[in-house]
Amino acid sequence: MPDIRHTPEAPTRTQVLAPGERIDAHRHDDHQIIYAGSGVVAVTTDAGTWFAPGTRAIWVPAGCVHAHRAHGQLALHLLGLPADTNPLGLDAPAVLTVSPLLRELILACTRAPHEETGTPEGSPERRRLRAVLLDQLRASPQQPVQLPTPADPRLAAVCDLLHGDPADARGLAELAAAAGAGERTLSRLFRRELGMTFPQWRTQLRLYHALRMLADGTPVTTVAHRCGWASTSAFIDVFRRALGYTPGTHNRRD
């Protein structure tokens, strides 16, 4: 197993990543908030992949090994929090709703994290900003924007088929036959290993691929077709309900 880079302090900064650029697997002794000011960020751990556009942020707890990947031109905002500061009470990664106020607080806290005071906490103004940010995090709802990693080889085979072609319209029975498994067995595996039904998982998969394509500038109608929605209007409706904005405005969020 390759060595995992260990950076004790989770950085607080803004970093620009080109489309497809990655930050290899690493871990911190601090918690970290990861936010995409533009583009889409995908954060991968052993448990799965969490993905977030600008209406969402990703919580990564202290000690969690994670890697980042940029989709589209990514303005990555990283905010470190001490291990004893856990406003969410979470010990596993999660995707959080980002309100307009929380977005501005994250941007403000990551532009010039230490200012000129020479102390890690920064100026009194910055400490007040961070206190308000922690209050906003406590009130931020969690969102199911995740693709868990399957362990069972039969389940992994089906997931790989749909990752390769998210527009594949086959039902679970046909996919189960292709993977050499029974439909009822696979249905149980989706619930037990991934914590969701097959239709719920497929919707998450399609949203993930849709976000990647939109970040690369693919037209909405093309995205809807390539990701398997029956119509553009159906795609727009699912996308808006899941992420809080329409796909046509995705690259105009800044």
Side-chain angles (χ1 to χ4, degrees), residues 51 165-169 199-214 219-243 247:
F51 50 99
D165 179 13
D168 189 331
Q200 289 170 332
W201 181 88
R202 176 143 64 182
T203 296
Q204 291 295 298
L205 173 80
R206 289 176 169 176
L207 284 171
Y208 171 61
H209 283 281
L211 282 169
R212 294 175 58 186
M213 293 177 193
L214 290 169
V220 172
T221 300
T222 303
V223 172
H225 174 71
R226 290 182 182 174
C227 291
W229 271 279
S231 67
T232 302
S233 60
F235 166 50
I236 292 171
D237 183 58
V238 171
F239 190 99
R240 180 184 54 78
R241 285 189 284 110
L243 297 171

Side-chain angles (χ1 to χ4, degrees), residues 105 108-109 111-117 119 121-133:
L105 289 165
C109 287
R111 281 193 188 108
H114 295 168
E115 298 210 314
E116 297 178 358
T117 64
T119 66
E121 297 82 6
S123 67
E125 178 186 8
R126 184 162 298 279
R127 291 196 293 272
R128 289 194 295 272
L129 276 175
R130 180 165 289 217
V132 177
L133 183 144

Side-chain angles (χ1 to χ4, degrees), residues 13-34:
R13 65 169 183 255
T14 300
Q15 183 174 354
V16 175
L17 299 181
E21 190 172 352
R22 300 172 183 266
I23 298 176
D24 291 337
H26 60 285
R27 63 183 176 90
H28 310 293
D29 295 338
D30 296 336
H31 306 300
Q32 192 170 52
I33 299 291
I34 300 170

